[in-house]
Amino acid sequence: MAKFLRRIFIFSLFAAAFYFCFGFFIVQPIGKLKDGSTILYFRLGANGRFISSIDGVLLDNSEDINLVSRMFVLGKLGKVVNERKVASFPYSNTLYLISTNGKDFN
């Protein structure tokens, strides 16, 4: 039983460290980015949410969601996320919907 509890404790420490140090940034398919992507990045000190997207950032800031505002946010955050990128994965619509609280703006 002590081994099991120790493993649970160690797993919890790793999970908490992952949650606070890394994040997922979802780039939905828009314009020239026909495939979209999900980027795992080092977010410690970047003030981002664990699961974020361009539309999610616009919603958090009470902005209108249109192509111009999307490109502005992508230009601003894209550089930071790209500099801190750990891995890139295919686009995930499920993570996109989590980042926008279930709203789809395609």
Side-chain angles (χ1 to χ4, degrees):
M1 183 69 165
K3 261 187 174 181
F4 176 73
L5 291 176
R6 191 175 320 138
R7 286 182 182 167
I8 293 294
F9 178 72
I10 291 171
F11 175 78
S12 299
L13 285 177
F14 278 113
F18 183 83
Y19 177 79
F20 288 109
C21 294
F22 296 95
F24 292 97
F25 190 78
I26 295 84
V27 180
Q28 65 270 35
I30 54 171
K32 292 184 179 182
L33 303 171
K34 294 177 184 171
D35 296 332
S37 66
T38 300
I39 300 168
L40 174 67
Y41 72 104
F42 187 71
R43 73 177 177 113
L44 194 64
N47 295 331
R49 294 190 319 175
F50 180 63
I51 299 174
S52 186
S53 69
I54 296 167
D55 292 348
V57 170
L58 290 170
L59 285 174
D60 288 345
N61 295 323
S62 301
E63 299 285 334
D64 289 331
I65 296 179
N66 56 51
L67 187 59
V68 173
S69 59
R70 283 177 171 167
M71 296 313 250
F72 179 75
V73 170
L74 181 60
K76 232 173 133 177
L77 293 179
K79 182 179 179 186
V80 173
V81 170
N82 210 21
E83 288 173 352
R84 296 169 168 252
K85 181 167 67 171
V86 175
S88 188
F89 304 100
Y91 171 73
S92 170
N93 193 56
T94 303
L95 290 177
Y96 168 76
L97 291 174
I98 290 171
S99 74
T100 61
N101 296 319
K103 298 176 184 172
D104 193 358
F105 296 99
N106 290 329

